[in-house]
Amino acid sequence: MGTVEVFYSTLAITQDSPYLSVSARADLSDFLPANGSVMFDDGIAAANFTVAILDDDQPEPEEAIIVQITAVRLVSGSQQRARKYFAVIGE
């Protein structure tokens, strides 16, 4: 059992994401960059954070904001027994 902290950051349109392919990405005139962290206690599978969207009068197609996980930190707890090639917290 344990707690992990997951750090995140939005990507600017000039930063590539090797894992996603999106046809239209929002640029920095459409949102405020965000970064921070969220905590996951044992048994929690989702968390929320806020990205401020900047409104304007320009009609635009649907655009995506890419958020990347930048780091994960074990806050408390540990595995009950070691496992080769697995990153597991608790059992």
Side-chain angles (χ1 to χ4, degrees):
M1 306 304 161
T3 301
V4 294
E5 184 174 17
V6 177
F7 295 85
Y8 64 87
S9 178
T10 54
L11 292 181
I13 197 165
T14 56
Q15 296 173 287
D16 286 331
S17 174
Y19 306 106
L20 296 174
S21 174
V22 249
S23 57
R25 285 182 54 187
D27 63 30
L28 293 179
S29 67
D30 295 319
F31 71 99
L32 295 178
N35 60 58
S37 66
V38 290
M39 301 293 271
F40 288 86
D41 290 321
D42 184 49
I44 302 300
N48 296 313
F49 59 89
T50 301
V51 176
I53 305 299
L54 304 174
D55 197 14
D56 59 30
D57 293 333
Q58 305 246 347
E60 297 177 297
E62 207 171 272
E63 297 174 312
I65 296 172
I66 308 298
V67 178
Q68 99 179 345
I69 294 174
T70 57
V72 177
R73 179 176 72 93
L74 179 63
V75 175
S76 66
S78 64
Q79 286 183 203
Q80 299 298 322
R81 57 189 160 96
R83 293 186 180 174
K84 192 173 182 178
Y85 307 119
F86 288 91
V88 177
I89 298 173
E91 294 222 271

